[in-house]
Amino acid sequence: MGYSVTTPPGPPRILYNHHHPNPKSITHLTRRSLLLSAPLSLTLQPPPSSAAASPPPPDTTITDRVFMDFSLCPTYFRPLSSADSKPTLCPDSVPLGRLVLGLYGHHVPLTVSNFKSMCTSSAYKGTLVHKLFPGQFFLAGHQGDKPGDVRRPTGLARNTETVDSKAFALTHSRPGLLSLNLSENDDEDDIKLDPDYRNVEFLITSGPGPCPDLDYKNIVFGSVLEGLDVVTAIAAIPTYRPSEKIQQFNDFAEFLGDERAMNARALWNKPLKTVYISDCGELNVAKPSLSPPSLP
């Protein structure tokens, strides 16, 4: 009878298929994948130009010039009669001097046009500097029916720049800046509710430093070209400021909703001497491309 010899089975042969890839192929594919699958975003690109990304600075070219004469009166205005629309100008006033204001007509044309109209029509003439914040700014152009208030202007364009973020780009960085007053506006409520209401209240920074609390809330539209000493003289006038105890009592009354608290606050920061605009108007611009002066 025959014998059959069986060879002992050797180690199983590994079949390289999609379940068991070839190690050499693994190495080869891995290197290749590292080269070919490199993301395109790793390709070196030139850095974006910062000049192209940032918007251009506001155009502060001076397109118009106006003047305002300020005077000091030892007594408050007295109306000639109850029917008078204008108060009696102070007969014994002391001139403080003239401000020459350069206006940025390219930056905010509507704001500049309305302000210039108020000056050329003498609408600001005989009106008060009604608030003064020492070391910061003073306010003028308050609308109302009392002596020294601005009467409701007519014929002014609706100022859509008050809702345009570009109009708020300039900051209150130094003394002598002219700004349309929005955040500190204290016109009478019944006047503000009028559909034809036009805000013509303005402020001028008095320094010595910047006023960051005003930034991005009010529209800078001009600067003082001449008469910064007049601004300093106005800023030096003492104001009414209640004691800390009265201020705390007022805060508590306001918290309770007492309307008398707001009426009392209206007297705060009022100059203790009457400062008013005795004259105003437009000056011809010989060189419309003038730039605002740079202060040291």
Side-chain angles (χ1 to χ4, degrees), residues 10 24 51 72 110 118-119 158 168 225 235:
K24 295 182 180 181
L72 187 66
L110 289 175
M118 293 291 292
C119 292
R158 185 175 296 279
F168 296 83
L225 302 180

Side-chain angles (χ1 to χ4, degrees), residues 66-68 70 99 101 111 115 118-119 123-125 127-131 137-143 150 172 177-182 184-187 199-205 218-219 221 234 276-277 280:
V66 298
F67 72 90
M68 282 187 169
F70 289 84
L99 293 186
L101 302 167
T111 302
F115 182 79
M118 293 291 292
C119 292
Y124 286 132
K125 185 176 180 178
T127 61
L128 296 172
V129 173
H130 63 283
K131 287 286 183 72
F137 58 93
F138 63 82
L139 302 178
H142 174 269
Q143 293 186 51
V150 173
H172 303 75
L177 291 176
L178 173 65
S179 183
L180 181 65
N181 181 27
L182 300 173
E184 306 296 327
N185 183 283
D186 54 0
D187 288 336
N199 181 16
V200 294
E201 190 170 310
F202 64 93
L203 64 86
I204 296 179
T205 56
N218 307 277
I219 299 176
F221 66 95
I234 295 174
Y276 70 100
I277 302 172
C280 56

Side-chain angles (χ1 to χ4, degrees), residues 281-292:
E282 183 181 10
L283 297 173
N284 293 327
V285 180
K287 296 180 180 180
S289 60
L290 286 173
S291 298

